Amino acid sequence: MPVRVAESSAPSQVSGTNSGNTSPPACTLLSVGQAFSGTQNVSSLQKEEAWRVNVRIQGCDLEHGYLCGTMEALNVPMADTPIVVTFWEGEIVDTKNYTFYTGKWEASPEDDKRHWTKFPSFAPLLNQVEVDGGKSLDLSNYPYIFMRWKEQYFVNVGTDCGLTIAGFYYVCFSCSDGSINGFYYDPNSSPFQKLELKSTNEGRSGFSFSSYELQ
């Protein structure tokens, strides 16, 4: 969730072709209740800044390529409250339910490639993605999971909080250590705002929306 602005290690090979019934690897760190913490960096021509971000997964359905969760942004410049919370829904790129081509949210195939290629782990997949969007790839044993996260609404503030949720995140999740890297895309925001998260030891504590005062 960037500030509202208006400014114009990779695997050596791909695991194979898609048999038609593949799902991403079952990662224990990508499950309901898991928490992540890190930063979002925003760079523009005028300045560079970063703020703390906490994410928690609220739902995960690997079979249908779906997950959802909450994102907390802490001490964001221009925000009216110390913590801004959003609810997001995610698409897991499994080549069955979703491919690497977004097809919505004002993202063109070229936008997709520009952002996916920011992740070194995507490099072995690029050639096949250029052919068919990666539909023939088998990602079931790939050590990374690629996703798109789209914030749907603000949980504890109104839409006039100084932040925007018009765009979405291209996300890469490492199955080995639970780290998450992402890049925010919104034609009306600073490009390539980077999200960096690490899994925390909080694990699956009993979080619920009742933790927040809904607006």
Side-chain angles (χ1 to χ4, degrees):
M1 61 183 95
V3 172
R4 189 186 303 276
V5 294
E7 296 180 8
S8 305
S9 60
S12 60
Q13 61 183 13
V14 181
S15 58
T17 57
N18 195 334
S19 63
N21 293 297
T22 63
S23 295
C27 297
T28 58
L29 292 175
L30 192 65
S31 54
V32 174
Q34 182 62 49
F36 303 84
S37 182
T39 60
Q40 176 159 331
N41 292 280
V42 181
S43 297
S44 68
L45 296 176
Q46 290 78 28
K47 59 184 175 179
E48 181 169 337
E49 60 191 13
W51 55 78
R52 298 292 301 176
V53 173
N54 296 321
V55 167
R56 189 179 295 275
I57 297 175
Q58 304 290 344
C60 186
D61 182 354
L62 294 179
E63 181 63 28
H64 295 94
Y66 174 85
L67 74 166
C68 63
T70 51
M71 180 180 293
E72 298 177 344
L74 286 68
N75 301 316
V76 179
M78 299 174 61
D80 298 329
T81 178
I83 301 177
V84 176
V85 184
T86 56
F87 173 79
W88 55 267
E89 292 184 304
E91 299 176 347
I92 299 172
V93 177
D94 54 10
T95 71
K96 179 181 64 172
N97 296 286
Y98 301 101
T99 73
F100 286 97
Y101 288 147
T102 305
K104 54 188 172 184
W105 303 328
E106 299 185 64
S108 69
E110 288 304 314
D111 293 322
D112 291 329
K113 284 189 284 187
R114 265 195 303 272
H115 286 77
W116 291 128
T117 53
K118 289 282 185 181
F119 304 114
S121 53
F122 177 77
L125 311 176
L126 176 59
N127 288 342
Q128 194 58 45
V129 169
E130 290 181 325
V131 172
D132 61 2
K135 292 180 181 179
S136 60
L137 292 171
D138 179 358
L139 301 177
S140 58
N141 294 309
Y142 207 62
Y144 298 89
I145 294 177
F146 299 95
M147 298 175 276
R148 285 176 288 263
W149 291 359
K150 178 73 174 77
E151 290 167 297
Q152 301 295 328
Y153 56 83
F154 293 101
V155 173
N156 68 327
V157 297
T159 56
D160 58 350
C161 64
L163 299 179
T164 177
I165 56 174
F168 69 96
Y169 293 88
Y170 293 86
V171 175
C172 178
F173 172 85
S174 170
C175 295
S176 60
D177 62 10
S179 63
I180 290 174
N181 287 282
F183 291 95
Y184 191 76
Y185 173 74
D186 176 3
N188 297 315
S189 295
S190 300
F192 303 116
Q193 299 180 39
K194 188 172 186 181
L195 181 70
E196 297 179 284
L197 304 171
K198 301 288 186 183
S199 62
T200 71
N201 292 328
E202 290 183 38
R204 299 160 185 78
S205 61
F207 171 88
S208 70
F209 278 108
S210 61
S211 304
Y212 303 110
E213 181 180 348
L214 301 181
Q215 297 295 309

